[in-house]
Amino acid sequence: MKSLCHLRSAIILSTLAISLFTGCKKEDDPAPAGTHKAVNQWIMAQMKHYYYWNNQLPSGKTDETSPDIYFKSLLVPQDHFSSILQTKNISTYGNTLANTFGFDFIQISQNGNIHNIISQVVPYSQAQQSGLSRGDTITAWNDQFLTPSNVSDLTQKALSRNTLRLTLQSGVTLQLASAYIAQPVVYTHRIIQQQDKTYGYIYLSQFDFSGAYDLIRVAEDFRQKKITELILDMRYNAGGQVSFAAFCSLLLAKVQADDTFLMYQGNASLGLQRLSFAQSLSRQPDGYSFTAEDLRSKSLQLSRIHILSTSYTASAAELLINNLSPYVEIIHIGETTMGKDMASVTLTSPDNINGSAESWHILPLVYKLYNKNNKGDYSEGLIPRYAISDHNSLPLYPFGSEQDPYVAFVLNRTSSSRNTSLQKATVSKEGQLLYRSDTKGYRPIILSE
């Protein structure tokens, strides 16, 4: 029996971006709606059509294995990012400290002592409202000490609890409630005046159109202040919508609407797609209607951008670095990025597959990403021109502070030498990084179809 499935999908790096429609392939012995086998048959049909490595899918009939386990069994060893989640099934969401309690931290060994230091605090979260700040030191975690041997285990246990009790070196104790915390796209921005130069600084947490109007307001402020340099801080940016990367490019950089922004290389069925900045922007989510012409009228038209990264800079953030480089000078500073050089498609199981059960959403890797000059394949990460570690020196200063080593490097470099050779910052033995709370596990949370 043939059936046509009406699917919502989105080409993304970690969240939704465009709508697609596809058909479900005929399966032998179709299973009853609502069963695991029916969902698994649907998963296999989608993977055969979309998955980048579809020629390596295992053969054999589907069974009643839980769909999340079945989906993961299909992935090739080099695929570290394809994921699956189910509506209202919190166990599939992939929670992190940032989206559960509103902060991240790092563990450092310094002079033989272990320090657990807050690396970022989500604006407007309970953590921030309770007074938690970047650079604070944790001395106890649910009344236990965090050590190199227990830090990972205690962090995972905290994510399954309703509250987290933090004791800080200052003596302050905070009780944080578990909740889904939406990060603002623009954490902070400021103007830095140095001699004859005016710098604009933006901390960008993710690529999502919820921050579009905030970013437009920041660009307008920078335009009025006549900035001469832009510092774009993406140290903990896990990515997001490809269309928002195009939005940022048109708003900040000197590019034309019809310039090639990216090339998608898919499997034999999907082939190659070449998209301009305007075409990529046009795939923005429902509810937004920005045009390339409108953004260019508001654009800073910059020919050089300083971009800050860590090993957690991923996905659409990496895309922006790689795909803007043919058009403007990108001064990449920091750590080698995560290395997610592929885009996903989000596919949602239809009612005739789900029955009365909640929908499943699969996010398989579908496309390799390349820039105008066919440069991509950065699965090992993008190497910065100037290498600096986020934990290079203590204390950690607020984002945008002129004392922050990343920002200070930009200010010092642009006000003196313009040596473009790779400069490796020295990390002292006293500042050895032992642990960084995980942001890789982030998954978009879909509450309803």
Side-chain angles (χ1 to χ4, degrees):
M1 178 179 68
K2 283 189 176 181
S3 62
L4 185 63
C5 301
H6 181 204
L7 306 181
R8 287 182 306 135
S9 61
I11 294 179
I12 62 165
L13 293 180
S14 62
T15 53
L16 311 180
I18 67 166
S19 295
L20 298 172
F21 294 91
T22 185
C24 292
K25 295 185 177 181
K26 183 178 179 180
E27 292 280 350
D28 292 334
D29 303 319
T35 63
H36 282 172
K37 185 172 182 178
V39 176
N40 292 342
Q41 288 176 341
W42 173 82
I43 288 173
M44 176 58 85
Q46 309 315 304
M47 294 291 276
K48 284 181 178 178
H49 181 72
Y50 288 103
Y51 195 42
Y52 184 78
W53 297 277
N54 64 349
N55 59 353
Q56 298 181 46
L57 290 170
S59 57
K61 291 187 176 182
T62 54
D63 54 30
E64 284 289 346
T65 303
S66 177
D68 55 333
I69 296 174
Y70 176 74
F71 176 80
K72 291 172 185 177
S73 75
L74 303 179
L75 306 181
V76 298
Q78 62 266 42
D79 180 357
H80 305 295
F81 297 104
S82 291
S83 59
I84 181 171
L85 61 156
Q86 185 183 27
T87 301
K88 299 181 182 178
N89 183 351
I90 194 169
S91 67
T92 66
Y93 288 174
N95 291 344
T96 68
L97 286 174
N99 67 21
T100 303
F101 293 109
F103 73 94
D104 281 314
F105 77 98
I106 57 176
Q107 186 176 83
I108 292 177
S109 173
Q110 184 182 50
N111 296 327
N113 298 314
I114 305 300
H115 302 279
N116 297 290
I117 302 170
I118 300 298
S119 55
Q120 70 167 337
V121 180
V122 179
Y124 315 113
S125 66
Q126 184 191 8
Q128 186 195 52
Q129 294 170 355
S130 299
L132 195 65
S133 300
R134 173 173 159 87
D136 285 345
T137 297
I138 303 168
T139 56
W141 177 285
N142 286 330
D143 301 319
Q144 292 181 272
F145 293 108
L146 289 168
T147 68
S149 61
N150 70 13
V151 60
S152 180
D153 183 54
L154 290 181
T155 300
Q156 289 305 309
K157 286 181 178 178
L159 291 172
S160 65
R161 297 180 55 162
N162 293 327
T163 60
L164 173 62
R165 179 182 173 88
L166 295 180
T167 303
L168 306 180
Q169 193 174 56
S170 63
V172 173
T173 298
L174 305 177
Q175 188 89 0
L176 303 177
S178 170
Y180 176 66
I181 299 169
Q183 295 196 46
V185 172
V186 179
Y187 266 35
T188 186
H189 75 283
R190 61 169 301 206
I191 297 290
I192 303 173
Q193 191 69 48
Q194 287 278 320
Q195 299 173 1
D196 61 339
K197 289 185 178 292
T198 303
Y199 298 80
Y201 169 90
I202 309 172
Y203 183 96
L204 200 65
S205 73
Q206 59 182 308
F207 284 74
D208 188 273
F209 274 88
S210 62
Y213 293 103
D214 286 339
L215 196 57
I216 287 174
R217 284 189 286 270
V218 171
E220 175 60 25
D221 182 45
F222 287 174
R223 196 163 48 249
Q224 291 180 2
K225 302 293 176 49
K226 296 181 170 54
I227 67 165
T228 53
E229 303 281 351
L230 176 65
I231 304 173
L232 184 59
D233 195 337
M234 300 196 296
R235 274 178 271 188
Y236 296 93
N237 190 314
Q241 300 159 345
V242 174
S243 52
F244 194 73
F247 175 96
C248 293
S249 301
L250 289 160
L251 186 62
L252 303 176
K254 193 173 184 178
V255 297
Q256 302 297 322
D258 57 357
D259 286 339
T260 297
F261 178 43
L262 79 162
M263 294 188 291
Y264 291 115
Q265 179 61 62
N267 59 35
S269 298
L270 299 183
L272 177 69
Q273 294 186 50
R274 184 187 299 266
L275 272 68
S276 67
F277 288 96
Q279 289 170 323
S280 298
L281 176 68
S282 70
R283 296 182 172 185
Q284 61 201 278
D286 292 342
Y288 298 95
S289 56
F290 294 103
T291 66
E293 293 74 18
D294 181 47
L295 292 176
R296 289 194 73 251
S297 70
K298 299 176 173 65
S299 176
L300 294 175
Q301 293 285 302
L302 295 168
S303 58
R304 178 168 71 179
I305 301 175
H306 304 267
I307 295 183
L308 313 182
S309 75
T310 66
S311 60
Y312 282 153
T313 304
S315 203
E318 293 173 291
L319 175 75
L320 190 72
I321 296 170
N322 186 63
N323 288 35
L324 265 188
S325 59
Y327 300 102
V328 301
E329 183 182 9
I330 298 296
I331 311 298
H332 182 189
I333 299 160
E335 300 173 1
T336 299
T337 62
M338 185 184 293
K340 189 180 179 191
D341 61 347
M342 297 187 68
S344 305
V345 163
T346 299
L347 301 163
T348 299
S349 57
D351 290 342
N352 67 328
I353 296 296
N354 305 323
S356 60
E358 298 291 350
S359 298
W360 286 87
H361 315 272
I362 61 172
L363 294 83
L365 292 181
V366 173
Y367 292 110
K368 277 278 193 178
L369 301 166
Y370 298 90
N371 68 16
K372 170 192 175 183
N373 298 332
N374 205 36
K375 182 179 178 182
D377 296 314
Y378 45 87
S379 60
E380 299 300 316
L382 295 170
I383 300 173
R385 186 186 300 187
Y386 300 98
I388 301 176
S389 293
D390 195 36
H391 57 280
N392 228 24
S393 62
L394 299 179
L396 296 182
Y397 291 97
F399 293 125
S401 168
E402 294 168 48
Q403 294 176 287
D404 179 275
Y406 276 62
V407 175
F409 182 88
V410 175
L411 301 180
N412 292 335
R413 178 185 175 276
T414 51
S415 63
S416 54
S417 169
R418 291 186 180 273
N419 181 11
T420 58
S421 63
L422 179 66
Q423 298 177 1
K424 181 99 173 175
T426 301
V427 181
S428 66
K429 294 180 180 179
E430 292 80 15
Q432 181 184 5
L433 180 66
L434 302 178
Y435 179 83
R436 179 179 279 158
S437 56
D438 183 25
T439 59
K440 294 181 184 178
Y442 172 75
R443 298 290 182 266
I445 294 180
I446 301 176
L447 301 179
S448 62
E449 287 192 72

